[in-house]
Amino acid sequence: MRQQARQPFSGLHIGSYLLSWKIALRELRGGLRGFYVFVACIALGVAAIAAVGSLTRSLNDSIANQGQVLLGGDVALSRVHQRASPEERQELKTFGATSEIATLRSMARLTDRSAQTLIEIKAVDQIYPLYGALRTDQNITLPLPVMTALVDTILLQRLGLKPGDQVRIGTGIVTLLGTLQNEPDRLSSRNVFGPRVLMSLATLDALGLIQPGSLIRWRYRIQFKDQNANLTGMTSRIENEFRSKGFLVRNRSNPASGVSQGISRLGKFLVLVGLTALLIGGVGVANSVHAFVAQKRSIIATFKCVGGTNRMIFQIYFAQVLIIALIGIAVGLFLGGVLPVLLLSFYASALPFDLVLTPQISELVAASLYGLLVAILFMLWPLMRTRDISAQNLFRDDVSGEAASITLFDLLSLFAVGLVLAVFTVLSAELPWVAFYFCAGLSALFLLFIAYGYGLKKLASYLPRYRTPSFMLARANLAGPNSLIRTIVLSLGLGLSLLVALGLIDASLRAQLESGLPQKAPDYFFIDIKQDQLESFRDKIQASAPQAKLNIAPMLRGRIVSLNGIPTEQIDAPNEAKWVLRGDRGITYDDTKPPGANLTEGAWWDENHQGDNLVSFEASSGKALGLKIGDTVSVNILGRDITAKIANFRTVKWESFAINFVMIFSPNALAGAPFNMLATLKLGENTPLSQEGQFVQNIAQGFPNITTIRVRDALEAVSGIYESILFAIRMAGSIMLIAGTLVLAGALATAHRKRIYDAAIFKTLGATRYRIVSSHMLEYGTLACATALLAIAMGSVTAWAIVTFVLDLPFHFSLAISIQTVIFTCVLVILLGAFGTWRTLSMKTASALIKH
């Protein structure tokens, strides 16, 4: 019999498999008792992955399917500063109906100038919109009468206005007809800092805001005459004719590339978080299968005694556990399909487009594969012991304690499943290198947590044997064979570490954006200062705030079109430098090196330089793009390509909020180009808010065309976007914590049977309820603190690395977050443990001893 039990697991026999499945199905007639945590762990992870994947794909599909509406046309062109000439507009009309739109930032002020706010103006022509429909609160139709506008509700709230009231914009007064409810192409238009104000182009012209050098983005949307025309071919024709004139061209196939890419990347990140939750749940799978094998040891021994082979026994219980895993996957897929529908019912109105949820088969298949691979990975190890322990040892497993032998084939099997899971994760990721590091890091963390658990258990065995019974019992539980140390560390460690990391990253960003603003950071930005206003603007600042520090620089916008003669569209830039080549950038010129600029390579040009066009490039971006001194950069400014040689590289402290540019040209390179000025203002320290408000009012009265941006208001707008992203990540992190809690609850339930017997023995020997409860609370409190310390350590290291090396900001450690983590973990572990202890003490002693 012993020889038969040791026969190798090899060969494929169809009859054996059929018999194994038949026996497995018969045994499952008893239900899923003992596997509820198993099913919940798999279902939770699969549901998270399926829901995130389906919602992400549906969002991007909806954007792509509504490309014409969201873009505002079949093809859209845009250019900063310079309006299309009559000849250019006539040429565009040969492709189809062409709508002209202008967008810019300005200030809306009460007619008495007592209050003001930053706004985003959108001026449209008479045929806007080409696709979709504009909805307002009073069913106002376009075109709008001159000197009227439609606005976002938030503008009325900020200035205390209502429809029919008037505001001062630029040099004119505009009547507010009503509020905007839906702007069909809003997603493709820049709108970050202020509420939208929609008006006609005639109104914009009457307000005196269209000036040479003004930061106005002119947009042109084309509706093809032939809707069956080849989109790619037509786009190429338009690009060939207009790209050299400084226009950026997009088509309806990708109406909001930045938004779609952001959604995809956030979705893929959340899928990785869901996979982490699934892997944490895998610990619960292993615990459930281990308990299942322990319960079946007498049946397994019987099988072996009557001639059952190792292969058949493994097949029987592998089939049973696999069926249960499939049930968990099915539940997860159902929840993953329902969750997006629930989210849509609550948040659909907040989206700037119509979201259409469709079955995403590929995402559901991916979620199923993740669930199946994780289930197999974690159930193989406990199932392997059914093959290599003899029948005699199985019958006396409670007392023998003989460990299962693990063969090289077993280890290779586990490695193969883990490798398949890792490869599938990397290949299906938006950024494969991120997924690779994720898999490597997660594997290292799992090994670290396992080692930490073993180390704590070993340490507990070396603790002195206290005479106090409660301490003695707690020590015995921590160091004994049924210790919960490894389970709690594995189940809660990853989830808590992620939440600690997110909390510390959040704290560091807030410290930098709020209290951590540099001492020399400006309080205000002023945009679109005309050159002939510069002296009077300086005088006004001096009179209103004599202690203030003013910095002024020329400001243009331009787009890099080539590096060393290679067009930007042919350059495969690294991710950290793609933003430099995408869209247009702020550009300036200067005779002298700006204060605080540190040259890392090269030298600044001489004053009154009249030779070759030269440019100073930001060091980190230049290095990422592979540029060096003497290389050429071509920038399209106002429809003209300007090529300059790189004279030097310099560091830029973006976090200083000073006037910073990627490129600073020598003055001769931009000679004759129309431009306005950009200024920053640092008020004196401890300037009262009332005095600050009066100062801004004085500027508004003297210079109605100048846009004033308060730095802290801009940071609050950016912070709102950041909060939305962080909220989504926190919710995903909470899923990991829920998975860990499920695993912990399952582990405590598994240990409950042994604890009942121990408590019954202790009661028989005279132990009081107080002794048993206090020993359990000491045990759970120790485990909670040990797990919290690990989470704080790993979360702090992760947050420090991200803040320091990725965000390039100072790391800010928050003691409050650490204390909250310890308290939360202690409360969670002790509550779950207390529930198990209460069940243990409620069992009658005689009944517990008889059942055991």
Side-chain angles (χ1 to χ4, degrees):
M1 181 181 69
R2 191 171 183 84
Q3 243 182 352
Q4 187 183 35
R6 292 288 184 182
Q7 74 180 52
F9 175 58
S10 60
L12 298 176
H13 304 281
I14 297 178
S16 175
Y17 278 118
L18 292 177
L19 179 59
S20 300
W21 277 89
K22 187 175 181 180
I23 296 173
L25 291 173
R26 283 185 177 179
E27 281 205 44
L28 281 176
R29 291 176 182 175
L32 300 179
R33 183 177 177 82
F35 278 100
Y36 297 122
V37 171
F38 180 116
V39 172
C41 288
I42 295 295
L44 180 66
V46 171
I49 295 173
V52 169
S54 297
L55 189 58
T56 300
R57 183 65 65 87
S58 294
L59 284 168
N60 283 332
D61 286 351
S62 296
I63 291 175
N65 293 335
Q66 300 171 59
Q68 288 176 319
V69 175
L70 297 178
L71 185 66
D74 295 304
V75 170
L77 299 86
S78 65
R79 186 169 65 185
V80 183
H81 295 305
Q82 189 176 22
R83 190 174 189 174
S85 65
E87 293 77 17
E88 288 172 335
R89 274 177 276 175
Q90 190 62 39
E91 190 175 354
L92 287 173
K93 289 179 181 179
T94 61
F95 296 96
T98 303
S99 174
E100 184 180 42
I101 299 167
T103 58
L104 69 154
R105 294 191 180 104
S106 187
M107 305 297 296
R109 304 175 174 95
L110 295 179
T111 53
D112 61 0
R113 296 186 173 89
S114 60
Q116 65 178 1
T117 187
L118 182 69
I119 58 173
E120 297 271 353
I121 293 177
K122 181 174 183 177
V124 300
D125 60 11
Q126 295 186 349
I127 64 172
Y128 171 87
L130 294 175
Y131 293 100
L134 184 76
R135 293 202 302 268
T136 67
D137 61 339
Q138 299 179 13
N139 295 324
I140 298 170
T141 58
L142 298 179
L144 297 175
V146 179
M147 304 308 290
T148 65
L150 298 168
V151 298
D152 284 341
T153 305
I154 191 172
L155 176 63
L156 302 181
Q157 295 171 350
R158 288 181 180 177
L159 296 180
L161 300 173
K162 61 183 184 299
D165 289 343
Q166 295 180 323
V167 294
R168 188 180 297 274
I169 301 176
T171 58
I173 295 178
V174 176
T175 301
L176 307 181
L177 297 180
T179 59
L180 291 165
Q181 291 184 334
N182 179 63
E183 188 182 340
D185 57 340
R186 189 170 194 137
L187 191 65
S188 61
S189 301
R190 182 183 63 183
N191 182 29
V192 177
F193 295 114
R196 172 73 80 206
V197 175
L198 185 75
M199 61 180 64
S200 66
L201 285 170
T203 301
L204 178 64
D205 190 48
L207 296 178
L209 295 176
I210 303 177
Q211 299 291 335
S214 295
L215 286 177
I216 302 177
R217 181 174 294 276
W218 294 95
R219 304 172 187 270
Y220 299 88
R221 279 80 179 272
I222 302 174
Q223 183 182 46
F224 289 154
K225 296 176 181 178
D226 181 9
Q227 286 297 298
N228 296 320
N230 182 275
L231 180 63
T232 303
M234 293 289 284
T235 304
S236 297
R237 282 182 55 193
I238 294 172
E239 279 188 329
N240 291 336
E241 294 185 34
F242 288 91
R243 191 176 180 84
S244 60
K245 299 175 182 179
F247 285 98
L248 183 66
V249 182
R250 289 187 294 161
N251 62 37
R252 65 173 185 256
S253 64
N254 194 5
S257 57
V259 175
S260 298
Q261 188 178 54
I263 290 173
S264 295
R265 290 190 174 178
L266 179 60
K268 294 299 183 182
F269 172 77
L270 295 179
V271 165
L272 292 180
V273 174
L275 176 58
T276 306
L278 190 57
L279 289 169
I280 292 174
V283 179
V285 170
N287 290 340
S288 298
V289 177
H290 180 81
F292 173 70
V293 171
Q295 292 174 1
K296 297 289 185 179
R297 61 186 182 276
S298 59
I299 298 176
I300 295 171
T302 303
F303 274 137
K304 289 194 173 185
C305 289
V306 298
T309 63
N310 287 336
R311 183 182 65 248
M312 177 178 290
I313 292 170
F314 183 86
Q315 290 171 359
I316 289 171
Y317 293 104
F318 181 84
Q320 288 188 42
V321 177
L322 183 62
I323 291 171
I324 295 170
L326 293 175
I327 293 173
I329 292 171
V331 173
L333 292 178
F334 172 76
L335 294 175
V338 170
L339 285 175
V341 177
L342 293 177
L343 288 173
L344 181 61
S345 64
F346 286 105
Y347 298 107
S349 59
L351 294 174
F353 57 91
D354 296 328
L355 175 60
V356 180
L357 287 175
T358 55
Q360 303 294 334
I361 303 301
S362 62
E363 301 299 330
L364 297 179
V365 170
S368 302
L369 287 175
Y370 277 125
L372 185 62
L373 289 171
V374 169
I376 293 174
L377 179 64
F378 283 90
M379 71 187 186
L380 277 179
W381 186 278
L383 283 177
M384 284 171 180
R385 66 174 301 165
T386 62
R387 297 182 289 108
D388 296 319
I389 300 178
S390 65
Q392 297 96 314
N393 284 328
L394 281 169
F395 278 123
R396 63 176 189 235
D397 191 57
D398 261 355
V399 295
S400 70
E402 179 178 331
S405 60
I406 301 299
T407 66
L408 178 61
F409 177 79
D410 296 336
L411 293 176
L412 290 176
S413 300
L414 290 169
F415 178 78
V417 177
L419 183 63
V420 171
L421 178 61
V423 170
F424 179 64
T425 302
V426 171
L427 293 180
S428 60
E430 179 82 9
L431 298 173
W433 64 273
V434 173
F436 173 79
Y437 285 118
F438 165 82
C439 293
L442 197 59
S443 301
L445 284 177
F446 257 96
L447 293 175
L448 175 64
F449 293 153
I450 292 172
Y452 184 78
Y454 273 104
L456 287 177
K457 184 178 178 182
K458 195 71 174 177
L459 179 63
S461 66
Y462 288 113
L463 291 175
R465 297 180 182 274
Y466 298 100
R467 292 186 177 182
T468 305
S470 298
F471 283 97
M472 186 170 58
L473 292 176
R475 176 196 174 281
N477 285 336
L478 289 171
N482 295 303
S483 173
L484 296 171
I485 288 179
R486 292 195 297 270
T487 299
I488 290 181
V489 167
L490 277 173
S491 59
L492 292 184
L494 275 174
L496 285 173
S497 297
L498 176 64
L499 292 181
V500 169
L502 289 174
L504 292 177
I505 293 171
D506 185 28
S508 296
L509 285 172
R510 289 187 184 283
Q512 184 69 15
L513 294 178
E514 297 174 4
S515 61
L517 278 174
Q519 291 296 320
K520 296 182 179 180
D523 294 302
Y524 286 91
F525 276 89
F526 297 97
I527 300 175
D528 277 343
I529 305 170
K530 298 177 184 178
Q531 297 180 55
D532 58 5
Q533 292 177 319
L534 190 54
E535 290 303 320
S536 57
F537 179 76
R538 288 181 188 272
D539 294 340
K540 191 78 171 180
I541 294 290
Q542 182 64 30
S544 301
Q547 304 299 322
K549 183 177 181 180
L550 183 68
N551 288 316
I552 299 176
M555 172 70 170
L556 297 95
R557 304 287 295 185
R559 179 172 54 84
I560 298 178
V561 294
S562 67
L563 298 176
N564 292 318
I566 302 174
T568 54
E569 58 268 20
Q570 298 178 18
I571 297 175
D572 185 17
N575 291 318
E576 63 270 22
K578 283 183 178 179
W579 66 275
V580 178
L581 304 181
R582 188 186 303 124
D584 53 81
R585 305 263 70 81
I587 293 171
T588 191
Y589 66 83
D590 207 333
D591 250 338
T592 59
K593 183 181 71 172
N598 296 318
L599 299 185
T600 61
E601 191 179 354
W604 205 266
W605 44 84
D606 298 329
E607 289 190 30
N608 301 317
H609 172 76
Q610 296 299 323
D612 294 335
N613 295 335
L614 301 177
V615 64
S616 173
F617 211 90
E618 194 270 322
S620 61
S621 300
K623 182 179 179 181
L625 291 169
L627 298 175
K628 60 184 183 297
I629 300 296
D631 286 349
T632 60
V633 178
S634 295
V635 181
N636 189 282
I637 303 174
L638 298 171
R640 184 166 64 95
D641 287 349
I642 297 175
T643 301
K645 292 182 180 180
I646 296 178
N648 60 72
F649 292 100
R650 73 190 191 288
T651 58
V652 174
K653 296 182 179 179
W654 301 106
E655 69 274 12
S656 67
F657 298 98
I659 298 179
N660 291 315
F661 296 90
V662 173
M663 293 171 287
I664 301 177
F665 284 82
S666 57
N668 64 307
L670 303 179
F675 60 86
N676 285 340
M677 310 299 290
L678 168 70
T680 62
L681 183 73
K682 174 67 177 177
L683 296 171
E685 294 186 6
N686 302 319
T687 302
L689 192 60
S690 57
Q691 184 178 340
E692 187 176 329
Q694 183 60 47
F695 161 75
V696 174
Q697 233 179 346
N698 292 338
I699 298 297
Q701 291 176 355
F703 307 95
N705 64 293
I706 295 178
T707 300
T708 305
I709 301 176
R710 188 169 182 257
V711 171
R712 291 192 179 274
D713 292 341
L715 289 178
E716 288 177 5
V718 175
S719 179
I721 300 173
Y722 156 75
E723 282 288 349
S724 301
I725 297 174
L726 195 62
F727 175 77
I729 297 175
R730 280 201 187 109
M731 290 299 99
S734 299
I735 294 175
M736 291 175 57
L737 198 58
I738 293 171
T741 304
L742 281 173
V743 174
L744 177 61
L748 292 173
T750 302
H752 175 61
R753 182 177 64 89
K754 180 64 178 175
R755 294 295 172 88
I756 288 177
Y757 179 71
D758 290 344
I761 295 294
F762 293 146
K763 282 184 179 181
T764 303
L765 296 176
T768 63
R769 285 176 176 264
Y770 168 77
R771 295 293 185 195
I772 298 174
V773 170
S774 60
S775 67
H776 284 192
M777 292 304 102
L778 282 171
E779 177 191 1
Y780 297 138
T782 302
L783 290 174
C785 289
T787 305
L789 289 175
L790 173 69
I792 292 170
M794 297 309 303
S796 299
V797 170
T798 303
W800 169 80
I802 293 174
V803 171
T804 303
F805 298 109
V806 178
L807 302 179
D808 195 23
L809 294 173
F811 176 66
H812 178 79
F813 181 78
S814 173
L815 183 61
I817 292 174
S818 301
I819 294 174
Q820 291 169 9
T821 302
V822 173
I823 294 175
F824 173 81
T825 311
C826 289
V827 170
L828 178 64
V829 174
I830 289 175
L831 280 178
L832 290 173
F835 176 72
T837 301
W838 173 78
R839 291 183 61 198
T840 299
L841 295 177
S842 64
M843 179 73 71
K844 292 183 178 180
T845 303
S847 175
L849 292 174
I850 293 172
K851 286 186 176 181
H852 190 79

